[in-house]
Amino acid sequence: LASSALPRPVARVIDEFARLPGVGNKTASRLAFHLLRADREQARALAAALAGLADGIVTCSRCCNIAEADPCPVCADPAREPSVVCVVEEPLDVLAIERTGTYRGLFHVLHGAISPVDGITPADLRIRELILRLQSEPIREIILATNPSLEGDATAMYIERSVRALPDEGIRITRLARGLPIGGDIEYADEITLARALEGRRDV
Ligand SMILES: [Zn+2]
């Protein structure tokens, strides 16, 4: 906790920053003092943005992506192809795939990947919601677009097994083509590489 020699509002900001991932006490202090010295509008804008994050965001009940409304704009768009669902780890991956401008199906956001080291199990992800969708929506193909990492591969494999265990509903399971940098995140892949990986997806 920040020292009691500090005015309480400053100490409180430092403590809150320090709770964020990757931010130690030193960085938290630097950020807090930066805001203190900056013009008041900057601190107010940050406060308003954070309040909007807490109050203005919902989870789409269909695809589990974050959005300002439920259903999200993609799920609500009648021009999207409802028989194809692209499964990704994070909301930023949806953004990356949308940027390619070539994908017309729907999404499903897992909110993470299986990682025993970090204590993240299948139950912590939105896999159950995906299985429910497969049983209630006219889905013919799921594209496993988890990251090309140990965790992403383990997650894709787990989902594949779970889907195969369903009574045969003739669902095609595909995986993005290789070519994405190994260990790199889909959210950082350039549009052309990602469009090619989607185009060249293969059955698993
Ligand atoms: Zn949605």
Side-chain angles (χ1 to χ4, degrees):
L1 290 183
S3 161
S4 56
L6 285 169
R8 240 183 339 176
V10 181
R12 193 175 157 206
V13 169
I14 293 173
D15 287 342
E16 290 300 329
F17 277 143
R19 285 168 62 184
L20 297 172
V23 180
N25 265 320
K26 201 169 162 186
T27 303
S29 305
R30 201 179 301 144
L31 290 172
F33 281 103
H34 169 82
L35 285 168
L36 196 62
R37 291 189 201 103
D39 76 274
R40 271 157 201 254
E41 261 328 292
Q42 194 181 347
R44 282 206 192 92
L46 177 65
L50 290 173
L53 193 61
D55 303 328
I57 296 294
V58 296
T59 301
C60 176
S61 55
R62 189 177 188 185
C63 71
C64 301
N65 198 3
I66 53 168
E68 288 178 63
D70 181 17
C72 73
V74 173
C75 287
D77 183 353
R80 305 293 297 219
E81 175 51 63
S83 67
V84 184
V85 171
C86 183
V87 180
V88 296
E89 293 180 22
E90 302 289 351
L92 284 176
D93 300 331
V94 171
L95 215 64
I97 290 172
E98 285 294 272
R99 270 200 305 265
T100 66
T102 59
Y103 181 67
R104 297 305 301 158
L106 299 177
F107 290 97
H108 191 86
V109 181
L110 299 169
H111 292 278
I114 297 169
S115 174
V117 181
D118 301 310
I120 301 171
T121 70
D124 298 313
L125 308 175
R126 303 301 184 95
I127 294 175
R128 203 176 59 90
E129 287 85 345
L130 174 65
I131 300 298
L132 285 173
R133 286 184 73 182
L134 292 174
Q135 293 168 320
S136 62
E137 292 181 33
I139 297 168
R140 293 204 311 271
E141 178 184 358
I142 59 168
I143 303 168
L144 299 173
T146 50
N147 286 328
S149 63
L150 218 59
E151 294 80 13
D153 287 342
T155 307
M157 217 180 297
Y158 180 88
I159 292 173
E160 187 205 337
R161 261 188 269 126
S162 306
V163 175
R164 300 251 190 256
L166 294 174
D168 189 14
E169 295 176 56
I171 296 166
R172 186 182 170 203
I173 307 173
T174 55
R175 185 94 163 92
L176 290 186
R178 293 179 200 283
L180 293 167
I182 300 295
D185 285 358
I186 282 171
E187 62 171 286
Y188 301 124
D190 69 90
E191 286 106 46
I192 293 164
T193 306
L194 202 46
R196 273 200 204 120
L198 262 171
E199 185 63 35
R201 64 187 188 267
R202 61 196 199 284
D203 291 276
V204 293

